[in-house]
């Protein structure tokens, strides 16, 4: 299912893959996020960091009566406050979806799939 927006000129249908790409780009811009993780780690590879073209594997988008529900699977860097990073992801994803798409966002669920130690240069 996707978001359907009715305008006076016609209908706009936004697919879940587009929504997942917007969510993935918004989430990876947050300080403390190393990358996106796959929602199916056993099938896709354990703790593999997804590249930009595969962000849709780390995001699940569902449409409910109250609005769009988004599940984001992330990997955080070692030493950051995980609760603060998750709160930042939730607020930025909700803001981006509501401003870019004009669609109400009911929930943004963040799942931390791993912690990665960043190597110093």
């Amino acid at each position: 299912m996707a978001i359907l927006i009715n305008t006076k000129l016609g209908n706009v249908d936004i697919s879940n893959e587009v929504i997942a790409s917007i969510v993935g780009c918004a989430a990876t811009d947050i300080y403390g996020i190393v990358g996106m993780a796959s929602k199916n780690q056993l099938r896709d590879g354990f703790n593999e960091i997804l590249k930009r073209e595969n962000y849709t594997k780390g995001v699940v988008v569902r449409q409910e009566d109250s609005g769009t529900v988004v599940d984001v699977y992330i990997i955080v860097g070692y030493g950051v406050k995980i609760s603060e990073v998750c709160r930042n992801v939730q607020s930025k994803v909700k803001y981006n979806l509501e401003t870019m798409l004009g669609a109400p966002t009911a929930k943004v669920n963040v799942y931390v799939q791993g912690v990665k130690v960043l190597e110093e240069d």
Side-chain angles (χ1 to χ4, degrees):
M1 296 190 341
I3 296 175
L4 182 64
I5 302 171
N6 297 319
T7 65
K8 64 179 182 178
L9 299 175
N11 296 328
V12 177
D13 188 24
I14 303 171
S15 70
N16 286 343
E17 289 79 22
V18 172
I19 298 169
S21 295
I22 292 171
V23 169
C25 289
T28 53
D29 285 344
I30 302 291
Y31 174 78
I33 302 285
V34 175
M36 301 289 294
S38 175
K39 61 185 174 278
N40 297 320
Q41 288 191 357
L42 294 176
R43 186 183 68 193
D44 295 336
F46 185 70
N47 279 351
E48 179 181 328
I49 297 175
L50 299 175
K51 305 288 187 237
R52 183 174 296 271
E53 57 272 359
N54 291 329
Y55 281 165
T56 56
K57 289 184 179 180
V59 178
V60 176
V61 180
R62 297 184 309 277
Q63 306 300 327
E64 293 183 357
D65 294 335
S66 57
T68 306
V69 177
V70 179
D71 297 335
V72 184
Y73 296 84
I74 60 171
I75 298 174
V76 298
Y78 180 79
V80 298
K81 189 171 182 181
I82 295 174
S83 62
E84 199 63 36
V85 170
C86 293
R87 194 172 304 115
N88 290 340
V89 169
Q90 287 174 327
S91 64
K92 184 162 185 179
V93 166
K94 183 175 174 82
Y95 174 78
N96 280 3
L97 286 178
E98 290 179 353
T99 56
M100 288 183 186
L101 304 179
T105 305
K107 294 180 189 175
V108 178
N109 302 314
V110 179
Y111 298 95
V112 178
Q113 297 291 87
V115 177
K116 182 169 172 67
V117 177
L118 299 175
E119 300 168 4
E120 294 183 20
D121 294 331

